[in-house]
Amino acid sequence: FGQLGISQNVDVHVPTQVVALAREQVLQVRCGWRHTVCSTHDGAVYSWGRGANGQLGHNDTSEQFVPKRITALDAIRERGAHAIRI
């Protein structure tokens, strides 16, 4: 379902860099059953994996095989609400 964030829907048995986040300073990572969410030093939140029930926060139900920024949370952060917890 893409929850590894490596652009392929494959099993991986060794640690593998998530290239899409290589330039980000990731602070937290949370894993769901078939999706993953992370937050970065600058306050951005990314999600990827299975989105069948809208759980990725991208206003759709598609799968994401690489991390995608949850832009709906950017507006909250811009208003000064920095206490978003993942």
Side-chain angles (χ1 to χ4, degrees):
F1 296 99
Q3 61 266 44
L4 295 180
I6 58 172
S7 77
Q8 301 173 3
N9 189 16
V10 296
D11 291 336
V12 177
H13 303 283
V14 296
T16 304
Q17 181 181 19
V18 178
V19 176
L21 295 172
R23 295 182 180 212
E24 298 287 347
Q25 185 178 356
V26 176
L27 297 180
Q28 295 182 31
V29 178
R30 297 291 185 259
C31 302
W33 181 43
R34 293 184 173 167
H35 68 284
T36 306
V37 179
C38 78
S39 63
T40 64
H41 183 265
D42 70 354
V45 178
Y46 293 83
S47 67
W48 59 96
R50 186 172 190 205
N53 299 307
Q55 66 266 43
L56 298 181
H58 302 296
N59 200 30
D60 63 23
T61 56
S62 63
E63 294 180 2
Q64 295 293 324
F65 292 100
V66 294
K68 182 176 179 181
R69 190 172 183 145
I70 304 175
T71 56
L73 296 178
D74 290 345
I76 295 170
R77 186 173 48 97
E78 290 170 4
R79 289 193 307 252
H82 296 283
I84 296 172
R85 185 172 181 172
I86 62 168

